[in-house]
Amino acid sequence: MTQMDVQPSETGTAAPTARTPVIEMRDISITFGSVRALSEVSLRLYPGEVHALMGENGAGKSTLIKALTGVYTIDSGTVLVGGEEHSFSSPAASQAAGISTVYQEVNLVPNLTVAENMLLGREPRRFGAINVRAMNRRARETLTGLGLDIDPASVLGEHPIAIQQLVAIARAVDVEARVLILDEPTSSLDSDEVAKLFEVMRRLREQGVAIVFVSHFLDQIYEISDRMTILRNGRLVEERMVSETSQLELVKLMIGRELEALERLDREPPNTEAEVGTPVLQALGIGRKGSLEATDLELFEGEVIGIAGLLGSGRTELARLLFGADTVDTGELTFRSERRRLRSPRHAIDRKIAFSSEDRKAEGVVGDLTVADNMLLALQASRGWLRPIPQSTRTRLVDEYIQALDIRPADPSALMRNLSGGNQQKVLLARWLITEPEVLILDEPTRGIDIGAKAQIQAKVAELAAEGLSVVFISAELEEVLRLSDRLVVMRDRRKIDERPNYDVSVSDVLEIIAGEARSEQQPEQQEETRA
Amino acid sequence: MSAITFPTSSTWDRVKGYTPPTRFLPVIATLALFVGLFGAGGVRYDGLADPQVLLSLLIDNAFLIVLAVGMTFVILTGGIDLSVGSVVALSTMIAAKTLQMGWSPYLSIAAVLATGTLLGLLMGLLIHYFDIQPFIATLAGLFLARGLTYLISVESISISDETFTQLAFKTVYFGEYYLRWTAIVALITVAIAAYVLARTRFGRTVYAIGGSESSAMLMGLRVAFTKVGVYVISGFCASLAGLLFSLYILSGNSLHAVGMELDAIAAVVIGGTLLTGGRGYVVGSLLGVLVLGIIKTLISFDGTLSSYWIRIITGVLLLAFVVVQRFATRRQS
Amino acid sequence: MPESPTLVQRVVRHQLMWPVLALVALLVVNVVATPTFFNIRMQDGHLYGNLVDIVRNSAPVMLVALGMTLVIATRGIDLSVGAIAAIAAAVACTRIVGAADEGAATTAIMACTYALVVCLLLGAWNGFLVSVLGIQPIIATLILMVAGRGISMAITDGQITTVNNSWFSDLASGFVLTLPLAFLVAVGVFLLTALLTRRTALGMLIEAVGINPEASRLAGVRSRTIIWTVYAFAGLCAGIAGLVIAANTNSVNANSLGLWIELDAILAVVIGGTSLAGGRFSLTGTFIGALFIATLARTIPNIGIPSELNYLFKAVVVIAVCLLQSPKARAVFRSRRGGPTVPTGPAAPVPAKAGSVA
């Protein structure tokens, strides 16, 4: 929790001369209701550096960014701008202090021109009227200054997302930003587009702008960043020089377990007998542009496949393609021996596949319905509205699962939104078990729930697999994945990088795979790149 | 397109190679529709090709043009204003009643415009500050304005004030052709609105909100001011349209302008403005009104078709534009 | 149940408390203005009186509002119901007039059936635009709202068509078991809707789609079918309402029949506590909402105000109900009063509605 005294003086590029940070956040704490989202987190930004903000889901990255941009108010702690104390009561106040943000989804208006998007709100005017010619000229100057050749008079929405992203940065730059926050700007860009973005970032760094960079792609972090701040569970882990931190160290810091303790997990030997006969589910080269490169996967009866990988590695994307929640661009899926293109979740459900999304609130819970209705939703949907589930069956199923999963309150007529996260997750699990699936895909089923519920869900998954259900289990917690799975799939940068039976695999093995160290024999050039 | 080519003329090549930006296409389509209808009518019916028919279109639809201008502002932000028909009725009634009471016509006009603007302001505040859906807030406005009209008088009141009637028949001649003042007021309104939307910060913010309200907010634009502002403008335009309507019809009546909001919305949509907001031009709305007007004129020239065909044809045009827009925006996203 | 709420708590928290309270308040105003307001007399085996008039007059709005409730629950809106009502009336009346035996019962039944099939198709058309083409509901139904009256006039050839069929006019003015038939039809449709939504899974699936469309999609709910069904049903309800209105005057005026009934229906739904944001719906609430609107229409002349001022009061009701439901407005009022003691209106924690068939 202590800050190392690292100054970005020895970074290769444009050594900043200033000793005072342009922004310093000290001991920031933010609480939502009873949840402590940030506790005593500090962040220092120096002019002319690219500063990576690292952390898994729930680490507090976006909360910290929103505190800096004035969206959230800070409960305790201080923010210093150029050494002087400031408090940002609104996004406008933060912008006035020279902090600009570019979000993952382009926050511009697609129906106006590039120049307007860059200058809206501060257009050059003559006699009160917007001077279009001057506006286009100024926009072109800014774009040229960033090395971009975009027609300022063209409509923004006609450009690809990457260009829109760059225009958003150009807008941020035009306000003479001292701090530029890039929140996952690369998540939908291809490699050429990323290169273009990095070129712009380097130019800005040379001009003395402090850039906060959030990305899930480790290679990108190592390519562009000078320093980084690592967060975990709302707390500061460390501030580090990128050049002094190996990828393995970084991954360990982000996931952060005491490794020795984890090695001593009690675990049943993996069920390798499962891998006989035809797979229940087979994916051949399934992929989708911008979310997953072509991936193969085979799932056998009674087998648990654990998918490990960092946020943004493609783990969720793979699960969604297996369920038809998103449609594939390439590749094909085979169920038992039937080849099938999934156009909607219905197709998957009809083939006895179940999927519990990582985003419980937005994609799982139907808050204003009762626990009973939430449990029976999937079964009822597959029966159609004309064939309601008979009352006696309803009661039997609901009571059975409330008891089996220990759902509290044990009241079928309680409203779903009044349940705790853990109990909501159990209800969602019940929703799918009621449909008697053959394949169960669980994406982060234990995120953000209490220990007790977590253990119960894990036990249930193990029990179901023993009964012959095939499970795809995705979690950010490696120990959980290792404990439950028979076979392990490791993902990184939107593709599968490793697959092995879960024999004597330790958490540190997985960390090494994720960090790319284990690949070094096959791909030496990768190693050089990351070490550079 | 003509097949004739002039290999030597580079200017012609440029003209030939010119393709208008896609954002103008809807307006161009509406213009083509209007020209086509007018041309077809001119060929088929004697006397329709007269330029005075065009000018009369402007005169007869002056109030609708103004109404559509106000509606364009609202729809560009992604909202809708159902109250305008009732505000027109209220305006005719206020004008008629105050004139009957012996007010000066100018004072009467001021009262009408103030009332409409105030109603617009109230609806805008409800929509923005209490997050009430535009259609439900303006529905309240619809009821309120209609109720106020009845409160003033249940009976129809005719307008006989001399200054007022003189205004109504004030005419400008262009050789043998003429335009009423009301039409000129409408055209001036269109010109001012076009200028405001194209060249002022307020106007561009209107488009930005229609494109993405949350983005506009994050870009630090004056979203609240603008959102309330468009309803104020719509209220003002509705009362101005009400004045033009009372000049046209010379009476105040609580049954005036029932369903006129639909005509205004239809004109805006046929004029190429996207109902989801962010795209469109007031000139398009002007053309939209003229298309509706020319259909009306054609039907009355024909004599065999009944007037209800206007509504059916309007509906079909509306459908065509909405569906085409839907596919156009779906392709882009 | 560890701590069951007391009866008083249950009543105060019940979602129907506010609409019922409003209706009762309105009735009290009437009794104060006219002590004999509740008097009902029996004549020729029929009941007469203000209350009977109210329930009879509430029928058209109630019918339209029942369909509207389901549409709103899916996060939609149907602006075309007034126009559909006019079309239904026009089809039925021209059929009756054109029939060989104008006064026969079969003529009336055939004409009404024909009209309702047309309305079902028109509703399905709206559903097609919304669910298949993905057009916003307010825009999709606007099309038929504009064109519908023209179509209705085309059917009646722009004339006010008068029919002479006692069976048909009974739909509005007839009595069965001493009660007005129109009201019984509305109650019948109400019970049918309740049965359809609460005894099948339709209600639950509608609510699921309205509350969380994405979660419903991932759970395999065929939202396209659901949405299509509710718009078709709304069309059917509007059609029945149109027939009742036409039967009341034994004629159809395509221009004015059912004018603004969509607005009254939306108002009834909102008064009944169903949120315009979609999700949970209350048919009983809508039922009370429709009664409230009919009572309001009766109250105004009764307390000596010209009935045309009805609109003014409706405007006040719309604003009041919307402010009550708007979280932002509630937050503003709460902070003004300095405590979370403000009644939370129709969105207050709702007890389980498992058995809320009616």
Side-chain angles (χ1 to χ4, degrees):
Chain A
M1 212 115 335
T2 49
Q3 284 194 29
M4 290 169 57
D5 194 27
V6 201
Q7 292 285 323
S9 48
E10 63 270 78
T11 53
T13 53
T17 47
R19 299 292 292 174
T20 41
V22 55
I23 293 279
E24 182 168 4
M25 301 176 85
R26 279 190 198 150
D27 302 330
I28 304 294
S29 296
I30 293 182
T31 310
F32 300 117
S34 59
V35 183
R36 193 126 211 231
L38 281 184
S39 51
E40 293 166 17
V41 172
S42 299
L43 176 72
R44 297 183 301 165
L45 300 174
Y46 290 89
E49 69 162 339
V50 175
H51 190 113
L53 193 56
M54 305 298 297
E56 278 284 271
N57 259 327
K61 284 174 308 201
S62 57
T63 315
L64 187 65
I65 288 175
K66 283 181 175 158
L68 183 56
T69 51
V71 177
Y72 293 155
T73 40
I74 294 165
D75 293 332
S76 69
T78 49
V79 178
L80 304 177
V81 179
E84 283 172 43
E85 201 165 314
H86 261 255
S87 72
F88 300 137
S89 50
S90 68
S94 163
Q95 278 174 23
I99 301 172
S100 286
T101 316
V102 175
Y103 298 93
Q104 182 182 3
E105 335 66 73
V106 182
N107 274 294
L108 295 178
V109 278
N111 54 328
L112 295 183
T113 67
V114 168
E116 283 182 306
N117 269 295
M118 288 173 60
L119 294 165
L120 213 58
R122 47 174 195 278
E123 313 90 338
R125 287 190 287 190
R126 203 169 47 183
F127 312 122
I130 294 170
N131 185 343
V132 177
R133 203 173 280 208
M135 182 171 68
N136 285 343
R137 202 181 324 120
R138 190 168 137 194
R140 190 182 290 284
E141 279 164 15
T142 310
L143 289 169
T144 316
L146 294 173
L148 299 172
D149 182 27
I150 304 169
D151 179 10
S154 57
V155 175
L156 183 78
E158 291 167 0
H159 293 291
I161 295 290
I163 299 290
Q164 298 189 24
Q165 196 78 260
L166 292 169
V167 172
I169 292 172
R171 175 183 174 85
V173 170
D174 187 81
V175 255
E176 280 160 23
R178 290 192 286 171
V179 175
L180 177 61
I181 302 171
L182 301 177
D183 190 357
E184 291 193 47
T186 55
S187 56
S188 53
L189 308 190
D190 65 31
S191 52
D192 287 350
E193 294 167 338
V194 171
K196 189 81 207 165
L197 174 76
F198 282 2
E199 207 181 300
V200 170
M201 283 170 71
R202 288 196 185 99
R203 253 175 220 258
L204 290 169
R205 176 164 64 187
E206 278 161 30
Q207 291 164 16
V209 178
I211 301 174
V212 177
F213 181 52
V214 180
S215 168
H216 296 305
F217 301 106
L218 294 184
D219 289 346
Q220 291 179 2
I221 298 288
Y222 277 83
E223 187 182 340
I224 191 84
S225 316
D226 305 313
R227 289 193 310 138
M228 57 189 167
T229 293
I230 302 146
L231 304 180
R232 191 172 68 231
N233 294 332
R235 291 174 185 276
L236 177 70
V237 179
E238 258 191 73
E239 191 189 66
R240 285 269 193 142
M241 297 300 300
V242 174
S243 55
E244 293 165 3
T245 313
S246 75
Q247 293 211 19
L248 179 58
E249 267 179 286
L250 172 61
V251 173
K252 282 180 184 170
L253 289 172
M254 283 167 68
I255 295 181
R257 288 285 177 277
E258 293 186 17
L259 294 176
E260 289 71 30
L262 290 181
E263 302 299 341
R264 280 182 265 106
L265 280 177
D266 51 331
R267 195 165 62 222
E268 308 251 322
N271 167 15
T272 44
E273 291 143 39
E275 292 179 46
V276 286
T278 50
V280 180
L281 174 65
Q282 186 178 26
L284 261 180
I286 58 165
R288 183 178 161 88
K289 193 174 179 295
S291 72
L292 187 73
E293 289 177 26
T295 302
D296 298 337
L297 194 76
E298 282 186 337
L299 182 63
F300 294 90
E301 199 172 305
E303 181 188 39
V304 181
I305 289 190
I307 300 186
L310 298 175
L311 186 66
S313 61
R315 58 187 195 203
T316 294
E317 290 75 5
L318 174 61
R320 291 181 66 88
L321 291 183
L322 291 177
F323 185 64
D326 297 325
T327 48
V328 296
D329 292 339
T330 58
E332 58 188 25
L333 288 163
T334 313
F335 305 94
R336 298 282 177 193
S337 50
E338 175 205 13
R339 234 179 245 171
R340 180 72 207 211
R341 221 183 142 75
L342 295 180
R343 278 197 201 79
S344 77
R346 290 273 337 162
H347 289 133
I349 294 167
D350 290 345
R351 272 150 203 86
K352 296 271 169 205
I353 299 177
F355 167 67
S356 165
S357 160
E358 53 154 0
D359 195 341
R360 188 167 60 229
K361 204 169 158 215
E363 299 183 342
V365 166
V366 184
D368 280 341
L369 287 186
T370 62
V371 167
D373 284 345
N374 266 284
M375 265 190 200
L376 298 166
L377 185 60
L379 178 63
Q380 186 62 69
S382 63
R383 289 169 66 104
W385 65 267
L386 267 171
R387 288 170 52 224
I389 304 163
Q391 191 60 46
S392 56
T393 317
R394 281 178 66 102
T395 322
R396 183 174 56 75
L397 284 172
V398 171
D399 286 349
E400 183 186 321
Y401 278 97
I402 285 182
Q403 208 156 45
L405 295 170
D406 188 29
I407 292 168
R408 288 176 201 189
D411 174 11
S413 62
L415 284 190
M416 187 70 165
R417 64 178 148 92
N418 296 336
L419 265 62
S420 71
N423 282 301
Q424 286 183 346
Q425 192 64 56
K426 289 187 206 166
V427 172
L428 296 182
L429 187 59
R431 173 188 292 173
W432 291 112
L433 295 182
I434 283 175
T435 62
E436 295 175 352
E438 290 174 4
V439 175
L440 179 62
I441 305 168
L442 297 172
D443 192 1
E444 296 234 40
T446 61
R447 191 208 297 172
I449 68 178
D450 59 284
I451 303 284
K454 197 179 223 168
Q456 285 171 325
I457 288 178
Q458 290 174 0
K460 189 73 192 173
V461 171
E463 181 193 324
L464 290 164
E467 286 167 12
L469 182 70
S470 308
V471 181
V472 177
F473 189 90
I474 303 169
S475 174
E477 286 184 37
L478 295 180
E479 53 170 292
E480 190 180 55
V481 176
L482 284 175
R483 183 184 302 162
L484 286 170
S485 55
D486 301 316
R487 202 145 45 94
L488 193 68
V489 168
V490 185
M491 305 202 58
R492 172 182 159 137
D493 296 353
R494 295 179 193 149
R495 62 171 187 269
K496 183 167 91 175
I497 55 167
D498 197 275
E499 180 174 347
R500 57 179 72 186
N502 189 3
Y503 274 127
D504 291 328
V505 183
S506 69
V507 169
S508 49
D509 294 341
V510 181
L511 289 177
E512 275 170 24
I513 300 169
I514 292 177
E517 313 262 318
R519 287 182 301 154
S520 52
E521 288 141 36
Q522 299 125 33
Q523 293 166 298
E525 77 280 2
Q526 275 270 315
Q527 189 193 11
E528 273 175 41
E529 205 173 71
T530 54
R531 288 275 156 80
Chain B
M1 279 285 137
S2 162
I4 310 162
T5 47
F6 299 90
T8 49
S9 162
S10 63
T11 321
W12 175 245
D13 281 343
R14 240 181 301 144
V15 171
K16 216 173 48 162
Y18 176 77
T19 47
T22 43
R23 59 198 143 132
F24 294 136
L25 282 180
V27 175
I28 292 169
T30 314
L31 181 66
L33 183 64
F34 176 70
V35 172
L37 284 170
F38 190 70
V43 172
R44 180 127 189 241
Y45 308 109
D46 289 341
L48 196 125
D50 191 350
Q52 186 57 47
V53 172
L54 275 180
L55 296 178
S56 299
L57 269 182
L58 289 173
I59 296 169
D60 292 337
N61 292 295
F63 55 91
L64 194 55
I65 291 170
V66 175
L67 211 54
V69 166
M71 189 68 80
T72 310
F73 276 83
V74 174
I75 290 182
L76 278 176
T77 65
I80 198 149
D81 190 347
L82 296 180
S83 72
V84 293
S86 294
V87 173
V88 166
L90 177 63
S91 302
T92 64
M93 186 56 94
I94 292 178
K97 184 72 181 178
T98 50
L99 290 173
Q100 192 189 38
M101 284 158 60
W103 289 27
S104 134
Y106 302 104
L107 196 58
S108 166
I109 288 171
V112 167
L113 295 179
T115 313
T117 312
L118 183 70
L119 273 174
L121 176 66
L122 288 178
M123 291 185 291
L125 293 175
L126 274 183
I127 289 163
H128 185 75
Y129 288 101
F130 293 111
D131 249 352
I132 292 175
Q133 291 184 25
F135 101 90
I136 197 95
T138 56
L139 168 65
L142 180 158
F143 283 138
L144 188 68
R146 203 54 82 169
L148 288 172
T149 315
Y150 279 114
L151 188 65
I152 296 170
S153 167
V154 180
E155 306 290 315
S156 177
I157 302 173
S158 63
I159 295 174
S160 51
D161 182 277
E162 223 166 87
T163 328
F164 208 76
T165 42
Q166 269 176 6
L167 275 180
F169 295 109
K170 223 164 190 179
T171 309
V172 181
Y173 288 93
F174 309 94
E176 52 184 312
Y177 307 118
Y178 68 92
L179 258 187
R180 287 266 158 76
W181 264 55
T182 49
I184 291 172
V185 168
L187 290 178
I188 291 172
T189 314
V190 171
I192 294 174
Y195 175 81
V196 167
L197 280 176
R199 283 288 180 274
T200 66
R201 211 166 262 187
F202 174 85
R204 300 322 286 172
T205 308
V206 167
Y207 282 94
I209 292 176
S212 164
E213 190 175 335
S214 59
S215 291
M217 198 95 82
L218 283 170
M219 287 164 92
L221 305 178
R222 298 170 74 192
V223 172
F225 176 81
T226 310
K227 250 178 98 186
V228 176
V230 293
Y231 290 94
V232 171
I233 289 176
S234 179
F236 174 81
C237 283
S239 54
L240 181 59
L243 275 178
L244 298 182
F245 192 64
S246 31
L247 288 170
Y248 185 69
I249 212 158
L250 287 177
S251 73
N253 189 333
S254 15
L255 290 174
H256 277 335
V258 169
M260 200 185 270
E261 60 275 358
L262 294 185
D263 291 336
I265 295 170
V268 173
V269 175
I270 292 170
T273 299
L274 210 58
L275 263 172
T276 43
R279 261 168 237 221
Y281 301 92
V282 263
V283 175
S285 302
L286 170 67
L287 289 171
V289 173
L290 292 180
V291 166
L292 293 184
I294 195 81
I295 292 170
K296 219 176 274 185
T297 311
L298 285 177
I299 283 173
S300 67
F301 262 79
D302 185 272
T304 57
L305 281 171
S306 307
S307 62
Y308 50 74
W309 280 101
I310 296 164
R311 299 221 112 194
I312 298 177
I313 295 169
T314 310
V316 171
L317 285 177
L318 208 53
L319 174 69
F321 272 80
V322 165
V323 170
V324 168
Q325 284 177 354
R326 173 71 199 148
F327 283 108
T329 50
R330 184 184 274 181
R331 209 181 42 231
Q332 274 178 15
S333 65
Chain C
M1 283 261 183
E3 44 193 287
S4 65
T6 65
L7 184 65
V8 177
Q9 276 177 335
R10 282 227 303 272
V11 169
V12 170
R13 281 199 201 145
H14 198 276
Q15 54 167 356
L16 292 180
M17 205 214 31
W18 287 94
V20 169
L21 214 63
L23 182 59
V24 169
L26 214 50
L27 289 172
V28 168
V29 168
N30 278 307
V31 176
V32 170
T34 321
T36 58
F37 189 77
F38 282 170
N39 286 8
I40 290 176
R41 65 201 155 78
M42 185 76 119
Q43 189 181 321
D44 308 331
H46 304 160
L47 292 177
Y48 286 97
N50 285 311
L51 293 182
V52 181
D53 282 352
I54 287 174
V55 296
R56 197 182 67 169
N57 294 342
S58 71
V61 171
M62 192 180 291
L63 284 162
V64 175
L66 287 170
M68 188 72 82
T69 308
L70 301 190
V71 170
I72 287 178
T74 62
R75 295 191 173 181
I77 196 87
D78 189 348
L79 295 180
S80 69
V81 284
I84 292 181
I87 293 173
V91 169
C93 289
T94 46
R95 281 246 135 190
I96 292 174
V97 169
D101 183 2
E102 200 186 326
T106 47
T107 309
I109 292 167
M110 286 305 294
C112 289
T113 313
Y114 192 78
L116 293 182
V117 169
V118 170
C119 292
L120 207 59
L121 291 176
L122 291 172
W125 160 257
N126 282 332
F128 167 78
L129 291 181
V130 174
S131 68
V132 179
L133 296 191
I135 297 171
Q136 283 179 23
I138 191 168
I139 297 167
T141 55
L142 185 75
I143 294 167
L144 197 53
M145 185 189 189
V146 170
R149 295 210 174 268
I151 296 171
S152 172
M153 277 194 258
I155 294 166
T156 57
D157 206 20
Q159 308 295 316
I160 296 179
T161 309
T162 312
V163 292
N164 198 355
N165 182 315
S166 62
W167 299 94
F168 184 64
S169 60
D170 272 351
L171 194 55
S173 47
F175 284 80
V176 172
L177 298 171
T178 75
L179 286 170
L181 182 60
F183 180 63
L184 292 178
V185 168
V187 171
V189 172
F190 167 68
L191 292 176
L192 192 80
T193 316
L195 216 64
L196 192 70
T197 53
R198 298 300 183 197
R199 282 285 169 260
T200 72
L202 186 61
M204 191 253 264
L205 294 179
I206 286 174
E207 290 183 335
V209 168
I211 297 165
N212 192 338
E214 183 57 16
S216 306
R217 184 179 81 95
L218 290 180
V221 178
R222 285 196 173 91
S223 55
R224 194 175 276 191
T225 321
I226 303 270
I227 289 173
W228 210 320
T229 311
V230 294
Y231 280 93
F233 182 73
L236 182 70
C237 287
I240 302 173
L243 296 180
V244 170
I245 299 170
N248 199 27
T249 56
N250 284 317
S251 68
V252 51
N253 179 351
N255 254 328
S256 65
L257 191 146
L259 190 66
W260 288 339
I261 201 167
E262 57 275 353
L263 305 184
D264 278 345
I266 293 168
L267 192 53
V269 174
V270 175
I271 292 174
T274 301
S275 162
L276 277 175
R280 298 212 75 152
F281 63 91
S282 165
L283 293 172
T284 318
T286 300
F287 187 90
I288 294 168
L291 284 179
F292 178 88
I293 290 174
T295 312
L296 183 69
R298 195 80 186 177
T299 309
I300 286 159
N302 191 39
I303 57 176
I305 300 175
S307 60
E308 287 85 355
L309 292 187
N310 201 348
Y311 294 115
L312 221 49
F313 289 89
K314 275 185 197 162
V316 174
V317 173
V318 174
I319 294 169
V321 172
C322 286
L323 287 182
L324 266 176
Q325 287 190 354
S326 149
K328 249 185 172 174
R330 285 216 301 267
V332 169
F333 294 138
R334 203 168 300 161
S335 64
R336 291 270 157 79
R337 292 218 209 153
T341 50
V342 175
T344 41
V350 178
K353 219 171 56 162
S356 63
V357 168

